[in-house]
Amino acid sequence: MNVITILRVVLIVWGLVITVMFIAGLKKHPGELELTTKKGIINGLIGFFANFFDTWGIGSYAPSTFCYKTFKTSDDIDIPGNLNLGDVFPVTVEAVLFLSFVDIEPLTLVTMLVAAGLGAFFGVRLVTKWDVNKIRIGMGLALFCCAIVFICKLAQIGPFGAMGTDLGLHGVKLIIGLVVNFFLGSFMMIGFGLYQPCMALVMLLGMSVGVAFPIMMGSCAVLMLTAAPTFIKTGRYDKNATVMNAVMGSLGAIAAYLLIAYAFDLTTLSKIVVGVMFYTAFKMFWDAKKSEKK
């Protein structure tokens, strides 16, 4: 049994354990499931399309946050839980599908995933204790930074446009990769999407851009699986939005994987996502400012 097969088995078993915990947590979480209401349908569409494009490397955090705030289907304080707990299921599906996307060196893949998981382990214990304004400001800063990274990637500025060919990291480069991925895993707990920064990191260190897919999807699966029990325990998530993220998001990820061979040019869509990131970041700052005046 090779490393990829072992990782897939671990992720599937781990995912099943979290599923049991999640279902048990739903029974303790206050409020009834309203999946067939207008709000439930909107949350279902958010979960499906956000994770559909997430599978193509666009990322789901910014679009999901934008939609939650625009359609008012979730309170701001619950958004980190919606994303980190609800997305754990579709992202695990993505990771299982994409782990063999390229012939990445096993040592690099495994250690990068572990680093992200450790980052989430420590980070989640902070974000679940923050008040709503801290979450708004943290997520606003995270989204603003992600937008800058995205612009650099689109414009091929600096390392973001440098295409490497390496399939693994060694020595100092491996240490740098592990440290940065640790912090990316921690920042995920306040809504800082890992995909684009991780893709930038991979290219900065001279690796093939294709390597980013198993690393970033595997990292997110591990860190979300690590953080999920804390969100379940604290109840800091919207019951309806999280369920829809889990179910419809997984279907969106599978649909995207099946259609990825026929994917259209994502440049235009990426520019739209940048606009969404900036809009949502400033909206978070504005809401935090208004709240402080009350």
Side-chain angles (χ1 to χ4, degrees):
M1 187 178 293
N2 59 31
V3 172
I4 299 300
T5 302
I6 293 174
L7 283 174
R8 280 178 168 155
V9 171
V10 169
L11 290 176
I12 290 172
V13 172
W14 199 351
L16 291 174
V17 171
I18 295 300
T19 300
V20 173
M21 293 176 64
F22 179 48
I23 294 173
L26 288 176
K27 297 179 180 179
K28 298 178 182 179
H29 194 59
E32 296 297 324
L33 283 175
E34 300 175 352
L35 304 182
T36 58
T37 63
K38 180 180 179 181
K39 181 184 289 188
I41 293 172
I42 292 174
N43 280 332
L45 292 173
I46 293 172
F48 181 89
F49 285 107
N51 285 283
F52 181 93
F53 293 118
D54 186 67
T55 307
W56 287 351
I58 296 298
S60 63
Y61 273 32
S64 295
T65 302
F66 168 76
C67 291
Y68 287 138
K69 293 185 69 62
T70 300
F71 297 106
K72 304 184 187 307
T73 58
S74 177
D75 292 333
D76 291 346
I77 198 170
D78 290 326
I79 292 178
N82 301 347
L83 300 176
N84 285 291
L85 177 56
D87 279 353
V88 70
F89 303 98
V91 170
T92 300
V93 170
E94 292 175 24
V96 170
L97 293 174
F98 277 93
L99 278 177
S100 59
F101 190 60
V102 294
D103 294 325
I104 183 174
E105 292 183 10
L107 177 63
T108 299
L109 178 61
V110 173
T111 53
M112 289 287 276
L113 268 55
V114 171
L118 289 174
F121 179 80
F122 292 105
V124 71
R125 280 154 179 75
L126 294 177
V127 71
T128 53
K129 297 178 181 178
W130 289 2
D131 61 29
V132 66
N133 267 7
K134 286 183 179 179
I135 290 177
R136 283 170 174 161
I137 294 171
M139 292 185 71
L141 289 171
L143 290 167
F144 186 85
C145 291
C146 281
I148 297 298
V149 170
F150 232 70
I151 289 174
C152 291
K153 180 177 181 294
L154 288 171
Q156 296 188 342
I157 296 175
F160 300 96
M163 305 299 290
T165 58
D166 294 342
L167 298 177
L169 298 173
H170 308 91
V172 176
K173 285 188 176 182
L174 179 58
I175 294 174
I176 293 173
L178 295 178
V179 171
V180 173
N181 222 37
F182 173 89
F183 283 106
L184 290 180
S186 181
F187 294 159
M188 275 281 286
M189 300 301 98
I190 58 170
F192 193 133
L194 179 143
Y195 278 13
Q196 293 306 319
C198 184
M199 188 175 291
L201 171 66
V202 164
M203 290 188 283
L204 175 64
L205 295 175
M207 300 178 74
S208 166
V209 68
V211 172
F213 283 83
I215 289 179
M216 65 190 186
M217 291 174 176
S219 293
C220 283
V222 169
L223 69 87
M224 287 180 178
L225 288 166
T226 300
T230 300
F231 283 106
I232 293 172
K233 181 179 179 180
T234 60
R236 288 283 288 267
Y237 62 92
D238 183 280
K239 190 173 186 178
N240 292 282
T242 305
V243 169
M244 280 302 195
N245 243 6
V247 178
M248 298 304 294
S250 296
L251 293 177
I254 294 172
Y257 178 77
L258 294 175
L259 294 173
I260 201 166
Y262 307 100
F264 54 86
D265 185 0
L266 297 180
T267 300
T268 300
L269 181 59
S270 297
K271 292 178 180 178
I272 294 174
V273 171
V274 169
V276 168
M277 286 181 178
F278 278 126
Y279 170 83
T280 308
F282 286 116
K283 186 73 165 56
M284 285 286 186
F285 294 144
W286 179 255
D287 288 348
K289 184 177 180 179
K290 286 196 301 182
S291 179
E292 287 177 354
K293 292 181 179 179
K294 294 180 180 180

